[in-house]
Amino acid sequence: MKNLVLNFLAIIFSALSVGTASAQESVFAGKTIRIVVGFSAGGGFDTYSRTIARHMGKHVPGHPTVVVENMTGAGSIVAANHLYRVAKPDGLTIGNFHGFQVLNAVLGAKGIEFDPRKFEWLGVPVKDTGACALTKASGITSIDQWRRASTPVKLGGVGPGDASYGMARVLKEVLGLPVQPIPGYKGTAEIKLASESGELAGGCWQWESIKVMWRAG
């Protein structure tokens, strides 16, 4: 009798599994899933997204088509706002925007129209480590020395929504370091050149980038 009960339960669980899989397939079969990328084609975020899209459909019940849509602007704030305000919450839209925008939302940055607490988080394709690089000419060689600086240390950034500018704000507003964020640069290369010329003391990016590109004297 015990074996009969176990067999009966196994049949029930098997039937439930089949029913669940069939329901999932009916939801995604013939559908298209969009991955909205907050940056232009050819960059890191775009590359991650297209790699995921190439294989994702094979592992989702119903084998939906997966496409990538680039939606640039404000360091990916435009894409994040679109996900929150425009995209239907039907499981067919996935966003890939800079995680720093979550901190920008907490800091009350301009242009943020989304509540990060109401997103369904799936994960990230890569983990970044934020860091700052300063020139020798800046005279800053330690955090203690930085705290004692008589004038604010100028750090370059692209503008609100960009990680480089956001990290500078965190150093100033959260850690209390004397920092003067200087926005208006087009990107990392321009900030690096401005640092080498003495216009800036340095900048903040991901360590993965700094360790291969920062050679300022």
Side-chain angles (χ1 to χ4, degrees):
M1 183 66 174
K2 182 178 180 181
N3 288 336
L4 287 175
V5 172
L6 291 176
N7 288 336
F8 179 67
L9 289 174
I11 292 171
I12 290 177
F13 287 134
S14 177
L16 287 174
S17 298
V18 171
T20 302
S22 297
Q24 291 176 335
E25 288 182 7
S26 66
V27 169
F28 292 105
K31 300 293 181 63
T32 297
I33 294 177
R34 288 191 310 149
I35 299 180
V36 177
V37 186
F39 297 91
S40 59
F45 278 75
D46 180 69
T47 301
Y48 299 144
S49 300
R50 293 185 186 278
T51 301
I52 292 170
R54 188 179 305 153
H55 303 282
M56 183 177 174
K58 305 173 187 176
H59 304 282
V60 176
H63 306 300
T65 300
V66 183
V67 299
V68 174
E69 178 182 337
N70 298 91
M71 189 175 293
T72 61
S76 74
I77 289 179
V78 170
N81 286 341
H82 172 83
L83 290 167
Y84 187 77
R85 296 175 60 86
V86 180
K88 295 180 180 179
D90 55 8
L92 297 177
T93 305
I94 299 173
N96 188 5
F97 58 88
H98 203 297
F100 205 87
Q101 302 311 343
V102 175
L103 183 56
N104 276 329
V106 174
L107 294 174
K110 293 181 179 179
I112 300 287
E113 300 176 356
F114 63 88
D115 184 344
R117 297 169 298 180
K118 295 182 179 180
F119 281 133
E120 292 290 339
W121 297 95
L122 299 178
V124 294
V126 65
K127 181 179 179 180
D128 290 326
T129 302
C132 299
L134 303 176
T135 64
K136 290 182 181 179
S138 71
I140 304 298
T141 59
S142 69
I143 289 293
D144 289 337
Q145 191 176 29
W146 195 340
R147 292 185 189 280
R148 297 194 300 269
S150 57
T151 58
V153 175
K154 294 181 180 180
L155 298 179
V158 175
D162 176 70
S164 58
Y165 182 75
M167 286 188 223
R169 285 193 61 199
V170 169
L171 293 175
K172 178 181 179 180
E173 299 178 23
V174 179
L175 299 183
L177 294 175
V179 175
Q180 182 180 354
I182 308 293
Y185 295 91
K186 293 181 179 180
T188 300
E190 288 76 12
I191 294 173
K192 183 174 180 293
L193 288 173
S195 300
E196 292 174 344
S197 69
E199 181 179 324
L200 298 171
C204 302
W205 303 276
Q206 282 71 38
W207 168 244
E208 291 75 13
S209 297
I210 290 175
K211 66 182 180 182
V212 297
M213 55 74 65
W214 185 261
R215 295 290 185 273

